[in-house]
Amino acid sequence: MRKIILFDGVCNLCNHSVQFIIKHDQHALFSFASLQSEAAAHLLGEFNLSSNQLDSVVYIDGNKLYTESTAALKIANHLKAPWKFASIFIIIPKPLRNFFYKIVAKNRYKWFGKQSECMIPTPDMKKRFID
């Protein structure tokens, strides 16, 4: 079953998060694509969405799509301990979780910076990315 993470390719926080996930994804479950890519446009089209509609990480697990805090927590559940334990926060009501998620998302460029172009994965990481 496909497990795909779509991320903002010019966001420093998002790029560091992808590197963190790759490091802690012991079974190499996840594939990645930047929201700015044609691959993301195609994948989002399967759900009748556009990257213009999203200001969030997107997690596609099979035929289900998750965004915002739910996506982050569903991803965390597949990482090795202790990171997988963060998924317990799924019990917090979604509106409250997303309230805090949106504060970080809105300020991510100001707090963490922005690149002029999408991250170029290392040759070792490249096999995890969808073109």
Side-chain angles (χ1 to χ4, degrees), residues 1-7 29-31 35 44 47 54 56-68 70-78:
M1 183 180 302
R2 66 182 185 171
K3 295 184 183 307
I4 302 168
I5 298 171
L6 306 179
F7 65 100
L29 297 173
F30 298 112
S31 296
L35 282 167
L44 291 171
F47 294 92
L54 299 167
S56 166
V57 64
V58 176
Y59 173 47
I60 299 170
D61 186 2
N63 62 356
K64 295 181 182 173
L65 182 139
Y66 304 96
T67 62
E68 299 178 328
T70 303
L73 294 172
K74 295 272 186 184
I75 292 165
N77 190 49
H78 293 289

PDB file of all heavy atoms in Angstrom, residues 1-7 29-31 35 44 47 54 56-68 70-78:
ATOM      1  N   MET A   1       0.849  -1.180   0.000  1.00  0.00           N
ATOM      2  CA  MET A   1       0.000   0.000   0.000  1.00  0.00           C
ATOM      3  C   MET A   1       0.891   1.239   0.000  1.00  0.00           C
ATOM      4  O   MET A   1       1.851   1.322   0.753  1.00  0.00           O
ATOM      5  CB  MET A   1      -0.905  -0.002   1.229  1.00  0.00           C
ATOM      6  CG  MET A   1      -1.855   1.160   1.248  1.00  0.00           C
ATOM      7  SD  MET A   1      -2.958   1.240   2.660  1.00  0.00           S
ATOM      8  CE  MET A   1      -3.804  -0.301   2.581  1.00  0.00           C
ATOM      9  N   ARG A   2       0.569   2.200  -0.839  1.00  0.00           N
ATOM     10  CA  ARG A   2       1.392   3.402  -0.938  1.00  0.00           C
ATOM     11  C   ARG A   2       1.234   4.299   0.285  1.00  0.00           C
ATOM     12  O   ARG A   2       0.142   4.466   0.815  1.00  0.00           O
ATOM     13  CB  ARG A   2       1.065   4.164  -2.213  1.00  0.00           C
ATOM     14  CG  ARG A   2      -0.332   4.744  -2.245  1.00  0.00           C
ATOM     15  CD  ARG A   2      -0.631   5.439  -3.546  1.00  0.00           C
ATOM     16  NE  ARG A   2      -1.951   6.063  -3.459  1.00  0.00           N
ATOM     17  CZ  ARG A   2      -2.433   6.875  -4.345  1.00  0.00           C
ATOM     18  NH1 ARG A   2      -1.739   7.170  -5.416  1.00  0.00           N
ATOM     19  NH2 ARG A   2      -3.623   7.400  -4.187  1.00  0.00           N
ATOM     20  N   LYS A   3       2.336   4.847   0.710  1.00  0.00           N
ATOM     21  CA  LYS A   3       2.380   5.821   1.798  1.00  0.00           C
ATOM     22  C   LYS A   3       3.234   6.974   1.294  1.00  0.00           C
ATOM     23  O   LYS A   3       4.450   6.839   1.174  1.00  0.00           O
ATOM     24  CB  LYS A   3       2.978   5.214   3.060  1.00  0.00           C
ATOM     25  CG  LYS A   3       2.120   4.100   3.645  1.00  0.00           C
ATOM     26  CD  LYS A   3       2.705   3.602   4.952  1.00  0.00           C
ATOM     27  CE  LYS A   3       1.919   2.441   5.517  1.00  0.00           C
ATOM     28  NZ  LYS A   3       0.507   2.648   5.676  1.00  0.00           N
ATOM     29  N   ILE A   4       2.581   8.080   0.963  1.00  0.00           N
ATOM     30  CA  ILE A   4       3.252   9.191   0.305  1.00  0.00           C
ATOM     31  C   ILE A   4       3.069  10.455   1.134  1.00  0.00           C
ATOM     32  O   ILE A   4       1.956  10.760   1.576  1.00  0.00           O
ATOM     33  CB  ILE A   4       2.688   9.406  -1.113  1.00  0.00           C
ATOM     34  CG1 ILE A   4       2.853   8.122  -1.941  1.00  0.00           C
ATOM     35  CG2 ILE A   4       3.372  10.592  -1.790  1.00  0.00           C
ATOM     36  CD1 ILE A   4       2.089   8.125  -3.245  1.00  0.00           C
ATOM     37  N   ILE A   5       4.159  11.178   1.290  1.00  0.00           N
ATOM     38  CA  ILE A   5       4.132  12.455   2.000  1.00  0.00           C
ATOM     39  C   ILE A   5       4.407  13.557   0.987  1.00  0.00           C
ATOM     40  O   ILE A   5       5.429  13.533   0.296  1.00  0.00           O
ATOM     41  CB  ILE A   5       5.178  12.487   3.128  1.00  0.00           C
ATOM     42  CG1 ILE A   5       4.873  11.399   4.155  1.00  0.00           C
ATOM     43  CG2 ILE A   5       5.217  13.876   3.773  1.00  0.00           C
ATOM     44  CD1 ILE A   5       5.958  11.203   5.197  1.00  0.00           C
ATOM     45  N   LEU A   6       3.486  14.514   0.906  1.00  0.00           N
ATOM     46  CA  LEU A   6       3.656  15.699   0.075  1.00  0.00           C
ATOM     47  C   LEU A   6       3.988  16.856   1.001  1.00  0.00           C
ATOM     48  O   LEU A   6       3.316  17.055   2.017  1.00  0.00           O
ATOM     49  CB  LEU A   6       2.383  15.998  -0.713  1.00  0.00           C
ATOM     50  CG  LEU A   6       1.820  14.849  -1.559  1.00  0.00           C
ATOM     51  CD1 LEU A   6       0.536  15.280  -2.262  1.00  0.00           C
ATOM     52  CD2 LEU A   6       2.846  14.356  -2.559  1.00  0.00           C
ATOM     53  N   PHE A   7       5.020  17.602   0.656  1.00  0.00           N
ATOM     54  CA  PHE A   7       5.514  18.656   1.544  1.00  0.00           C
ATOM     55  C   PHE A   7       5.855  19.899   0.739  1.00  0.00           C
ATOM     56  O   PHE A   7       6.066  19.837  -0.473  1.00  0.00           O
ATOM     57  CB  PHE A   7       6.736  18.169   2.317  1.00  0.00           C
ATOM     58  CG  PHE A   7       7.923  17.879   1.422  1.00  0.00           C
ATOM     59  CD1 PHE A   7       8.943  18.803   1.299  1.00  0.00           C
ATOM     60  CD2 PHE A   7       8.010  16.706   0.695  1.00  0.00           C
ATOM     61  CE1 PHE A   7      10.025  18.566   0.461  1.00  0.00           C
ATOM     62  CE2 PHE A   7       9.080  16.444  -0.139  1.00  0.00           C
ATOM     63  CZ  PHE A   7      10.093  17.386  -0.265  1.00  0.00           C
ATOM     64  N   LEU A  29       9.039   3.057   4.589  1.00  0.00           N
ATOM     65  CA  LEU A  29       7.639   2.977   4.165  1.00  0.00           C
ATOM     66  C   LEU A  29       7.210   4.142   3.282  1.00  0.00           C
ATOM     67  O   LEU A  29       6.345   3.990   2.432  1.00  0.00           O
ATOM     68  CB  LEU A  29       6.722   2.956   5.392  1.00  0.00           C
ATOM     69  CG  LEU A  29       6.852   1.778   6.340  1.00  0.00           C
ATOM     70  CD1 LEU A  29       5.994   2.007   7.582  1.00  0.00           C
ATOM     71  CD2 LEU A  29       6.438   0.499   5.636  1.00  0.00           C
ATOM     72  N   PHE A  30       7.799   5.309   3.524  1.00  0.00           N
ATOM     73  CA  PHE A  30       7.314   6.533   2.907  1.00  0.00           C
ATOM     74  C   PHE A  30       8.053   6.886   1.626  1.00  0.00           C
ATOM     75  O   PHE A  30       9.258   6.720   1.524  1.00  0.00           O
ATOM     76  CB  PHE A  30       7.455   7.715   3.877  1.00  0.00           C
ATOM     77  CG  PHE A  30       6.658   7.565   5.136  1.00  0.00           C
ATOM     78  CD1 PHE A  30       7.293   7.391   6.346  1.00  0.00           C
ATOM     79  CD2 PHE A  30       5.275   7.616   5.118  1.00  0.00           C
ATOM     80  CE1 PHE A  30       6.572   7.257   7.527  1.00  0.00           C
ATOM     81  CE2 PHE A  30       4.538   7.479   6.292  1.00  0.00           C
ATOM     82  CZ  PHE A  30       5.191   7.305   7.486  1.00  0.00           C
ATOM     83  N   SER A  31       7.278   7.422   0.689  1.00  0.00           N
ATOM     84  CA  SER A  31       7.812   8.088  -0.491  1.00  0.00           C
ATOM     85  C   SER A  31       7.443   9.563  -0.344  1.00  0.00           C
ATOM     86  O   SER A  31       6.503   9.905   0.390  1.00  0.00           O
ATOM     87  CB  SER A  31       7.187   7.531  -1.762  1.00  0.00           C
ATOM     88  OG  SER A  31       7.524   6.178  -1.918  1.00  0.00           O
ATOM     89  N   LEU A  35       5.041  19.595  -2.875  1.00  0.00           N
ATOM     90  CA  LEU A  35       3.729  20.073  -3.316  1.00  0.00           C
ATOM     91  C   LEU A  35       3.832  20.838  -4.634  1.00  0.00           C
ATOM     92  O   LEU A  35       2.843  20.963  -5.359  1.00  0.00           O
ATOM     93  CB  LEU A  35       3.101  20.964  -2.243  1.00  0.00           C
ATOM     94  CG  LEU A  35       2.475  20.227  -1.066  1.00  0.00           C
ATOM     95  CD1 LEU A  35       2.183  21.182   0.080  1.00  0.00           C
ATOM     96  CD2 LEU A  35       1.209  19.513  -1.496  1.00  0.00           C
ATOM     97  N   LEU A  44      -2.770  14.674  -6.028  1.00  0.00           N
ATOM     98  CA  LEU A  44      -3.859  15.457  -5.445  1.00  0.00           C
ATOM     99  C   LEU A  44      -5.087  15.442  -6.351  1.00  0.00           C
ATOM    100  O   LEU A  44      -6.219  15.454  -5.866  1.00  0.00           O
ATOM    101  CB  LEU A  44      -3.398  16.889  -5.174  1.00  0.00           C
ATOM    102  CG  LEU A  44      -2.382  17.037  -4.057  1.00  0.00           C
ATOM    103  CD1 LEU A  44      -1.832  18.458  -4.015  1.00  0.00           C
ATOM    104  CD2 LEU A  44      -2.978  16.653  -2.709  1.00  0.00           C
ATOM    105  N   PHE A  47      -7.736  13.042  -5.691  1.00  0.00           N
ATOM    106  CA  PHE A  47      -8.639  13.377  -4.583  1.00  0.00           C
ATOM    107  C   PHE A  47      -9.408  14.673  -4.872  1.00  0.00           C
ATOM    108  O   PHE A  47      -9.974  15.275  -3.969  1.00  0.00           O
ATOM    109  CB  PHE A  47      -7.836  13.525  -3.281  1.00  0.00           C
ATOM    110  CG  PHE A  47      -7.208  12.240  -2.828  1.00  0.00           C
ATOM    111  CD1 PHE A  47      -5.906  11.909  -3.226  1.00  0.00           C
ATOM    112  CD2 PHE A  47      -7.898  11.347  -2.033  1.00  0.00           C
ATOM    113  CE1 PHE A  47      -5.316  10.724  -2.820  1.00  0.00           C
ATOM    114  CE2 PHE A  47      -7.314  10.151  -1.624  1.00  0.00           C
ATOM    115  CZ  PHE A  47      -6.022   9.850  -2.021  1.00  0.00           C
ATOM    116  N   LEU A  54      -4.018  23.918  -0.554  1.00  0.00           N
ATOM    117  CA  LEU A  54      -3.415  23.361   0.650  1.00  0.00           C
ATOM    118  C   LEU A  54      -2.263  24.206   1.162  1.00  0.00           C
ATOM    119  O   LEU A  54      -1.451  24.700   0.389  1.00  0.00           O
ATOM    120  CB  LEU A  54      -2.903  21.945   0.370  1.00  0.00           C
ATOM    121  CG  LEU A  54      -3.969  20.944  -0.063  1.00  0.00           C
ATOM    122  CD1 LEU A  54      -3.310  19.690  -0.606  1.00  0.00           C
ATOM    123  CD2 LEU A  54      -4.875  20.610   1.099  1.00  0.00           C
ATOM    124  N   SER A  56      -0.406  22.796   3.890  1.00  0.00           N
ATOM    125  CA  SER A  56      -0.245  21.748   4.885  1.00  0.00           C
ATOM    126  C   SER A  56       0.581  20.610   4.319  1.00  0.00           C
ATOM    127  O   SER A  56       0.657  20.426   3.105  1.00  0.00           O
ATOM    128  CB  SER A  56      -1.638  21.219   5.255  1.00  0.00           C
ATOM    129  OG  SER A  56      -1.559  20.009   5.964  1.00  0.00           O
ATOM    130  N   VAL A  57       1.158  19.846   5.225  1.00  0.00           N
ATOM    131  CA  VAL A  57       1.706  18.558   4.823  1.00  0.00           C
ATOM    132  C   VAL A  57       0.520  17.689   4.427  1.00  0.00           C
ATOM    133  O   VAL A  57      -0.583  17.836   4.971  1.00  0.00           O
ATOM    134  CB  VAL A  57       2.522  17.914   5.970  1.00  0.00           C
ATOM    135  CG1 VAL A  57       1.670  17.582   7.175  1.00  0.00           C
ATOM    136  CG2 VAL A  57       3.257  16.675   5.506  1.00  0.00           C
ATOM    137  N   VAL A  58       0.740  16.819   3.453  1.00  0.00           N
ATOM    138  CA  VAL A  58      -0.302  15.904   3.002  1.00  0.00           C
ATOM    139  C   VAL A  58       0.254  14.489   3.123  1.00  0.00           C
ATOM    140  O   VAL A  58       1.371  14.222   2.687  1.00  0.00           O
ATOM    141  CB  VAL A  58      -0.702  16.183   1.537  1.00  0.00           C
ATOM    142  CG1 VAL A  58      -1.724  15.165   1.060  1.00  0.00           C
ATOM    143  CG2 VAL A  58      -1.235  17.599   1.379  1.00  0.00           C
ATOM    144  N   TYR A  59      -0.532  13.614   3.718  1.00  0.00           N
ATOM    145  CA  TYR A  59      -0.141  12.216   3.839  1.00  0.00           C
ATOM    146  C   TYR A  59      -1.190  11.377   3.131  1.00  0.00           C
ATOM    147  O   TYR A  59      -2.370  11.438   3.463  1.00  0.00           O
ATOM    148  CB  TYR A  59      -0.026  11.828   5.315  1.00  0.00           C
ATOM    149  CG  TYR A  59       0.199  10.361   5.563  1.00  0.00           C
ATOM    150  CD1 TYR A  59       1.147   9.641   4.846  1.00  0.00           C
ATOM    151  CD2 TYR A  59      -0.527   9.686   6.530  1.00  0.00           C
ATOM    152  CE1 TYR A  59       1.358   8.286   5.084  1.00  0.00           C
ATOM    153  CE2 TYR A  59      -0.320   8.343   6.788  1.00  0.00           C
ATOM    154  CZ  TYR A  59       0.622   7.644   6.059  1.00  0.00           C
ATOM    155  OH  TYR A  59       0.829   6.304   6.287  1.00  0.00           O
ATOM    156  N   ILE A  60      -0.746  10.626   2.131  1.00  0.00           N
ATOM    157  CA  ILE A  60      -1.627   9.724   1.406  1.00  0.00           C
ATOM    158  C   ILE A  60      -1.277   8.311   1.841  1.00  0.00           C
ATOM    159  O   ILE A  60      -0.141   7.865   1.679  1.00  0.00           O
ATOM    160  CB  ILE A  60      -1.465   9.889  -0.116  1.00  0.00           C
ATOM    161  CG1 ILE A  60      -1.824  11.322  -0.529  1.00  0.00           C
ATOM    162  CG2 ILE A  60      -2.327   8.860  -0.853  1.00  0.00           C
ATOM    163  CD1 ILE A  60      -1.483  11.657  -1.966  1.00  0.00           C
ATOM    164  N   ASP A  61      -2.253   7.640   2.413  1.00  0.00           N
ATOM    165  CA  ASP A  61      -2.079   6.259   2.872  1.00  0.00           C
ATOM    166  C   ASP A  61      -3.096   5.410   2.114  1.00  0.00           C
ATOM    167  O   ASP A  61      -4.287   5.393   2.458  1.00  0.00           O
ATOM    168  CB  ASP A  61      -2.310   6.174   4.377  1.00  0.00           C
ATOM    169  CG  ASP A  61      -2.011   4.796   4.945  1.00  0.00           C
ATOM    170  OD1 ASP A  61      -1.585   3.908   4.186  1.00  0.00           O
ATOM    171  OD2 ASP A  61      -2.197   4.616   6.161  1.00  0.00           O
ATOM    172  N   GLY A  62      -2.611   4.777   1.059  1.00  0.00           N
ATOM    173  CA  GLY A  62      -3.527   4.016   0.214  1.00  0.00           C
ATOM    174  C   GLY A  62      -4.481   4.945  -0.499  1.00  0.00           C
ATOM    175  O   GLY A  62      -4.062   5.817  -1.244  1.00  0.00           O
ATOM    176  N   ASN A  63      -5.774   4.799  -0.214  1.00  0.00           N
ATOM    177  CA  ASN A  63      -6.767   5.663  -0.851  1.00  0.00           C
ATOM    178  C   ASN A  63      -7.317   6.715   0.109  1.00  0.00           C
ATOM    179  O   ASN A  63      -8.375   7.286  -0.127  1.00  0.00           O
ATOM    180  CB  ASN A  63      -7.912   4.824  -1.439  1.00  0.00           C
ATOM    181  CG  ASN A  63      -8.664   4.043  -0.377  1.00  0.00           C
ATOM    182  OD1 ASN A  63      -8.295   4.052   0.793  1.00  0.00           O
ATOM    183  ND2 ASN A  63      -9.724   3.362  -0.782  1.00  0.00           N
ATOM    184  N   LYS A  64      -6.587   6.982   1.206  1.00  0.00           N
ATOM    185  CA  LYS A  64      -7.003   7.994   2.185  1.00  0.00           C
ATOM    186  C   LYS A  64      -5.996   9.130   2.186  1.00  0.00           C
ATOM    187  O   LYS A  64      -4.789   8.904   2.093  1.00  0.00           O
ATOM    188  CB  LYS A  64      -7.102   7.394   3.582  1.00  0.00           C
ATOM    189  CG  LYS A  64      -8.189   6.353   3.693  1.00  0.00           C
ATOM    190  CD  LYS A  64      -8.278   5.811   5.086  1.00  0.00           C
ATOM    191  CE  LYS A  64      -9.346   4.724   5.145  1.00  0.00           C
ATOM    192  NZ  LYS A  64      -9.360   4.064   6.434  1.00  0.00           N
ATOM    193  N   LEU A  65      -6.491  10.341   2.317  1.00  0.00           N
ATOM    194  CA  LEU A  65      -5.656  11.530   2.346  1.00  0.00           C
ATOM    195  C   LEU A  65      -5.854  12.248   3.676  1.00  0.00           C
ATOM    196  O   LEU A  65      -6.991  12.440   4.107  1.00  0.00           O
ATOM    197  CB  LEU A  65      -6.022  12.447   1.178  1.00  0.00           C
ATOM    198  CG  LEU A  65      -5.197  13.719   1.058  1.00  0.00           C
ATOM    199  CD1 LEU A  65      -4.871  13.993  -0.405  1.00  0.00           C
ATOM    200  CD2 LEU A  65      -5.951  14.899   1.642  1.00  0.00           C
ATOM    201  N   TYR A  66      -4.749  12.619   4.303  1.00  0.00           N
ATOM    202  CA  TYR A  66      -4.783  13.338   5.572  1.00  0.00           C
ATOM    203  C   TYR A  66      -3.985  14.628   5.431  1.00  0.00           C
ATOM    204  O   TYR A  66      -2.981  14.667   4.711  1.00  0.00           O
ATOM    205  CB  TYR A  66      -4.162  12.504   6.696  1.00  0.00           C
ATOM    206  CG  TYR A  66      -4.796  11.149   6.879  1.00  0.00           C
ATOM    207  CD1 TYR A  66      -4.246  10.009   6.295  1.00  0.00           C
ATOM    208  CD2 TYR A  66      -5.957  10.996   7.626  1.00  0.00           C
ATOM    209  CE1 TYR A  66      -4.821   8.760   6.461  1.00  0.00           C
ATOM    210  CE2 TYR A  66      -6.548   9.751   7.800  1.00  0.00           C
ATOM    211  CZ  TYR A  66      -5.966   8.637   7.210  1.00  0.00           C
ATOM    212  OH  TYR A  66      -6.554   7.403   7.380  1.00  0.00           O
ATOM    213  N   THR A  67      -4.423  15.661   6.134  1.00  0.00           N
ATOM    214  CA  THR A  67      -3.717  16.943   6.119  1.00  0.00           C
ATOM    215  C   THR A  67      -3.525  17.439   7.550  1.00  0.00           C
ATOM    216  O   THR A  67      -4.051  16.865   8.501  1.00  0.00           O
ATOM    217  CB  THR A  67      -4.497  18.002   5.312  1.00  0.00           C
ATOM    218  OG1 THR A  67      -5.770  18.215   5.942  1.00  0.00           O
ATOM    219  CG2 THR A  67      -4.680  17.603   3.866  1.00  0.00           C
ATOM    220  N   GLU A  68      -2.740  18.497   7.665  1.00  0.00           N
ATOM    221  CA  GLU A  68      -2.506  19.220   8.910  1.00  0.00           C
ATOM    222  C   GLU A  68      -2.047  18.289  10.023  1.00  0.00           C
ATOM    223  O   GLU A  68      -1.215  17.408   9.799  1.00  0.00           O
ATOM    224  CB  GLU A  68      -3.751  20.043   9.277  1.00  0.00           C
ATOM    225  CG  GLU A  68      -4.066  21.073   8.214  1.00  0.00           C
ATOM    226  CD  GLU A  68      -5.307  21.892   8.488  1.00  0.00           C
ATOM    227  OE1 GLU A  68      -6.271  21.370   9.101  1.00  0.00           O
ATOM    228  OE2 GLU A  68      -5.322  23.064   8.068  1.00  0.00           O
ATOM    229  N   THR A  70      -3.442  15.888  11.634  1.00  0.00           N
ATOM    230  CA  THR A  70      -3.756  14.468  11.474  1.00  0.00           C
ATOM    231  C   THR A  70      -2.705  13.790  10.610  1.00  0.00           C
ATOM    232  O   THR A  70      -2.244  12.685  10.929  1.00  0.00           O
ATOM    233  CB  THR A  70      -5.158  14.278  10.870  1.00  0.00           C
ATOM    234  OG1 THR A  70      -6.114  14.945  11.711  1.00  0.00           O
ATOM    235  CG2 THR A  70      -5.517  12.813  10.755  1.00  0.00           C
ATOM    236  N   ALA A  71      -2.274  14.448   9.536  1.00  0.00           N
ATOM    237  CA  ALA A  71      -1.218  13.888   8.683  1.00  0.00           C
ATOM    238  C   ALA A  71       0.062  13.695   9.488  1.00  0.00           C
ATOM    239  O   ALA A  71       0.679  12.622   9.441  1.00  0.00           O
ATOM    240  CB  ALA A  71      -0.962  14.805   7.491  1.00  0.00           C
ATOM    241  N   ALA A  72       0.455  14.712  10.236  1.00  0.00           N
ATOM    242  CA  ALA A  72       1.696  14.633  11.016  1.00  0.00           C
ATOM    243  C   ALA A  72       1.648  13.496  12.031  1.00  0.00           C
ATOM    244  O   ALA A  72       2.623  12.747  12.190  1.00  0.00           O
ATOM    245  CB  ALA A  72       1.960  15.965  11.715  1.00  0.00           C
ATOM    246  N   LEU A  73       0.528  13.332  12.705  1.00  0.00           N
ATOM    247  CA  LEU A  73       0.412  12.284  13.721  1.00  0.00           C
ATOM    248  C   LEU A  73       0.324  10.892  13.102  1.00  0.00           C
ATOM    249  O   LEU A  73       0.865   9.931  13.655  1.00  0.00           O
ATOM    250  CB  LEU A  73      -0.781  12.564  14.631  1.00  0.00           C
ATOM    251  CG  LEU A  73      -0.630  13.838  15.485  1.00  0.00           C
ATOM    252  CD1 LEU A  73      -1.931  14.152  16.214  1.00  0.00           C
ATOM    253  CD2 LEU A  73       0.528  13.720  16.449  1.00  0.00           C
ATOM    254  N   LYS A  74      -0.346  10.777  11.957  1.00  0.00           N
ATOM    255  CA  LYS A  74      -0.401   9.478  11.266  1.00  0.00           C
ATOM    256  C   LYS A  74       0.996   9.080  10.778  1.00  0.00           C
ATOM    257  O   LYS A  74       1.365   7.908  10.834  1.00  0.00           O
ATOM    258  CB  LYS A  74      -1.371   9.532  10.084  1.00  0.00           C
ATOM    259  CG  LYS A  74      -2.809   9.747  10.467  1.00  0.00           C
ATOM    260  CD  LYS A  74      -3.483   8.443  10.746  1.00  0.00           C
ATOM    261  CE  LYS A  74      -4.969   8.649  10.986  1.00  0.00           C
ATOM    262  NZ  LYS A  74      -5.634   7.416  11.341  1.00  0.00           N
ATOM    263  N   ILE A  75       1.774  10.048  10.324  1.00  0.00           N
ATOM    264  CA  ILE A  75       3.156   9.785   9.910  1.00  0.00           C
ATOM    265  C   ILE A  75       3.973   9.343  11.113  1.00  0.00           C
ATOM    266  O   ILE A  75       4.698   8.349  11.054  1.00  0.00           O
ATOM    267  CB  ILE A  75       3.769  11.033   9.241  1.00  0.00           C
ATOM    268  CG1 ILE A  75       3.080  11.319   7.904  1.00  0.00           C
ATOM    269  CG2 ILE A  75       5.281  10.860   9.058  1.00  0.00           C
ATOM    270  CD1 ILE A  75       3.353  12.702   7.340  1.00  0.00           C
ATOM    271  N   ALA A  76       3.858  10.079  12.210  1.00  0.00           N
ATOM    272  CA  ALA A  76       4.622   9.757  13.422  1.00  0.00           C
ATOM    273  C   ALA A  76       4.366   8.329  13.885  1.00  0.00           C
ATOM    274  O   ALA A  76       5.280   7.662  14.381  1.00  0.00           O
ATOM    275  CB  ALA A  76       4.280  10.740  14.537  1.00  0.00           C
ATOM    276  N   ASN A  77       3.162   7.852  13.713  1.00  0.00           N
ATOM    277  CA  ASN A  77       2.814   6.500  14.145  1.00  0.00           C
ATOM    278  C   ASN A  77       3.664   5.425  13.466  1.00  0.00           C
ATOM    279  O   ASN A  77       3.827   4.335  14.005  1.00  0.00           O
ATOM    280  CB  ASN A  77       1.328   6.227  13.884  1.00  0.00           C
ATOM    281  CG  ASN A  77       0.865   4.949  14.517  1.00  0.00           C
ATOM    282  OD1 ASN A  77       1.122   4.690  15.695  1.00  0.00           O
ATOM    283  ND2 ASN A  77       0.196   4.125  13.740  1.00  0.00           N
ATOM    284  N   HIS A  78       4.226   5.721  12.311  1.00  0.00           N
ATOM    285  CA  HIS A  78       5.047   4.751  11.578  1.00  0.00           C
ATOM    286  C   HIS A  78       6.544   4.900  11.827  1.00  0.00           C
ATOM    287  O   HIS A  78       7.336   4.138  11.268  1.00  0.00           O
ATOM    288  CB  HIS A  78       4.768   4.857  10.076  1.00  0.00           C
ATOM    289  CG  HIS A  78       3.386   4.440   9.707  1.00  0.00           C
ATOM    290  ND1 HIS A  78       2.967   3.128   9.746  1.00  0.00           N
ATOM    291  CD2 HIS A  78       2.315   5.181   9.304  1.00  0.00           C
ATOM    292  CE1 HIS A  78       1.697   3.078   9.369  1.00  0.00           C
ATOM    293  NE2 HIS A  78       1.285   4.297   9.100  1.00  0.00           N
TER     294      HIS A  78
END
